Amino acid sequence: SPDGQKLWNFKPGSPGGPKRFSLRRPPIRKDFYTAENATHRSDPGLFPYDLAKDFTYYPERTGSLFASLRFVIRCACIEPHDEQKEAWKSLIEAEMPEDSLAAFLDVSGIDYDSVINEIAPVLGKRDKVAEVKLARELSSKFRARYEEIAGGAE
């Protein structure tokens, strides 16, 4: 609803907005992007529908990869989340050293070719033992990287 959009996106203290903190969630309703609302929005210059207007989704190109993408996100971000948070905290405390930040952002091993040639075939076989083994290997790689960053960000 428009009232829900105000709560999610308006600046604190704006009419209908949050009381103390801006939640900064871009409105999902296209009709909410008006000049009147822009004066109250947390990010008045953000227009996600304009950013996406030239985007064309071709399900035949990527639709089959959703299971692989879920798998990758789980292994790289969800399972090692505690280690990821500690690494990020260390990076902040060390004022974002270039080498450590590059290591944190390194997603080698989960690029398109790796997903197509290594991850998708394992998931396609529906062999749960092989899936768990692959998940353990990939999660361990990211967990170790995050732990190394947390211990060495200087």
Side-chain angles (χ1 to χ4, degrees):
S1 71
D3 288 338
Q5 299 294 290
K6 290 177 184 176
L7 185 60
W8 279 96
N9 188 256
F10 276 8
K11 298 174 199 169
S14 295
K19 292 181 181 178
R20 292 185 58 202
F21 300 103
S22 177
L23 301 175
R24 301 186 78 152
R25 300 289 190 253
I28 193 72
R29 295 175 56 121
K30 287 183 182 181
D31 64 351
F32 199 79
Y33 291 90
T34 64
E36 179 185 340
N37 286 339
T39 62
H40 301 294
R41 288 184 35 228
S42 297
D43 300 296
L46 179 65
F47 298 98
Y49 289 103
D50 289 346
L51 293 171
K53 70 182 174 195
D54 294 327
F55 177 79
T56 303
Y57 176 64
Y58 299 98
E60 65 276 7
R61 294 182 187 170
T62 59
S64 64
L65 295 177
F66 281 137
S68 297
L69 292 174
R70 281 192 301 271
F71 181 84
V72 165
I73 291 167
R74 183 182 56 157
C75 294
C77 302
I78 296 171
E79 289 182 6
H81 188 65
D82 290 338
E83 292 85 355
Q84 187 183 45
K85 288 190 308 187
E86 284 301 313
W88 189 248
K89 181 181 171 188
S90 295
L91 285 168
I92 291 169
E93 289 172 355
E95 299 180 2
M96 299 291 180
E98 229 175 270
D99 291 349
S100 296
L101 182 58
F104 187 87
L105 298 174
D106 179 14
V107 291
S108 59
I110 55 172
D111 58 15
Y112 183 79
D113 289 333
S114 298
V115 170
I116 293 294
N117 298 319
E118 298 168 24
I119 295 171
V122 171
L123 298 179
K125 291 179 183 175
R126 300 199 182 278
D127 176 347
K128 291 299 179 188
V129 173
E131 287 179 30
V132 168
K133 181 179 177 190
L134 182 60
R136 184 179 300 143
E137 289 171 9
L138 192 54
S139 295
S140 293
K141 182 194 311 186
F142 278 92
R143 186 172 280 115
R145 182 178 305 155
Y146 297 140
E147 288 172 346
E148 183 179 333
I149 293 165
E154 299 171 2

